[in-house]
Amino acid sequence: MILRNVTDEDLPIFFEHQRDPEALRMAAFPSRERDAFMTHWRTKVLRPENVTRTIVMGRVVVGYIGSWEQDAKRLVGYWIGREHWGKGIATRALSGFLVLEPARPLHAWVALHNLASIRVLEKCGFQTMINENPHHPGGVAEVLMRLGST
């Protein structure tokens, strides 16, 4: 597995990943139309203060992982294309990413029904905090997980 800088060629792959209905259900995250997706990535995700990497297995782009500042917390998030689920990729990618991202504490919001993602975070040392946002504005219950002390 390689975690490398994101290139323009990666964005159409990420766009297709975020259109998958099952992935959207698991992530409890809305899909964006192509122009909105590209604008979001170029103006928000790929900012210099963020750490964002493409996840590559062999020569195949399988997803991305990144961290950013939001609401006075350093957050981490990842997205793996559904065709690559169940192979331990998210756990390996997050473990490798934690070496690149030294900020602690590091947080992750996860939909309570996304047990696989909760397990990935737990394997990498994240602990569940009190449900600070048990009912996200979108109507999905979420839990905040944290790695490191406050």
Side-chain angles (χ1 to χ4, degrees), residues 51 65-68 73-78 94 97-98 101 106-110 121 126 145:
V51 179
I65 189 164
S67 64
W68 65 96
K73 289 178 176 59
R74 189 73 182 174
L75 295 173
V76 65
Y78 46 86
L94 182 55
F97 186 79
L98 294 175
E101 173 53 273
L106 199 56
H107 296 87
W109 282 108
V110 187
L121 290 156
F126 283 74
M145 300 184 74

Side-chain angles (χ1 to χ4, degrees), residues 114-142:
N114 192 345
L115 300 179
S117 194
I118 290 171
R119 184 67 188 125
V120 165
L121 290 156
E122 288 173 342
K123 286 180 189 178
C124 292
F126 283 74
Q127 296 180 349
T128 300
M129 297 180 63
I130 295 171
N131 292 352
E132 291 186 16
N133 190 12
H135 297 289
H136 186 270
V140 175
E142 292 183 316

Side-chain angles (χ1 to χ4, degrees), residues 5 11 32 36 44 46 49 65 82 95 123 133 147:
N5 288 331
L11 298 183
R32 289 185 169 93
K44 305 281 187 196
L46 295 176
E49 64 269 23
I65 189 164
R82 184 161 50 119
S95 293
K123 286 180 189 178
N133 190 12
L147 176 68

Side-chain angles (χ1 to χ4, degrees), residues 2-150:
I2 297 171
L3 298 178
R4 65 160 170 74
N5 288 331
V6 176
T7 66
D8 279 341
E9 292 77 26
D10 298 331
L11 298 183
I13 297 167
F14 301 161
F15 171 72
E16 290 302 323
H17 287 169
Q18 65 92 46
R19 293 181 66 211
D20 181 276
E22 179 61 14
L24 291 168
R25 188 187 70 73
M26 290 303 296
F29 194 83
S31 179
R32 289 185 169 93
E33 293 301 322
R34 186 176 186 85
D35 288 345
F37 178 88
M38 297 300 176
T39 298
H40 175 76
W41 267 82
R42 291 186 176 119
T43 63
K44 305 281 187 196
V45 179
L46 295 176
R47 290 180 176 176
E49 64 269 23
N50 297 343
V51 179
T52 310
R53 297 293 184 268
T54 298
I55 305 166
V56 181
M57 292 292 296
R59 294 181 179 197
V60 178
V61 171
V62 298
Y64 64 85
I65 189 164
S67 64
W68 65 96
E69 192 78 23
Q70 182 178 319
D71 300 328
K73 289 178 176 59
R74 189 73 182 174
L75 295 173
V76 65
Y78 46 86
W79 196 290
I80 308 297
R82 184 161 50 119
E83 63 273 23
H84 306 289
W85 290 1
K87 300 176 185 175
I89 293 170
T91 301
R92 288 178 56 198
L94 182 55
S95 293
F97 186 79
L98 294 175
V99 175
L100 299 173
E101 173 53 273
R104 303 292 186 271
L106 199 56
H107 296 87
W109 282 108
V110 187
L112 281 174
H113 66 264
N114 192 345
L115 300 179
S117 194
I118 290 171
R119 184 67 188 125
V120 165
L121 290 156
E122 288 173 342
K123 286 180 189 178
C124 292
F126 283 74
Q127 296 180 349
T128 300
M129 297 180 63
I130 295 171
N131 292 352
E132 291 186 16
N133 190 12
H135 297 289
H136 186 270
V140 175
E142 292 183 316
V143 63
L144 181 65
M145 300 184 74
R146 180 179 69 208
L147 176 68
S149 59
T150 56

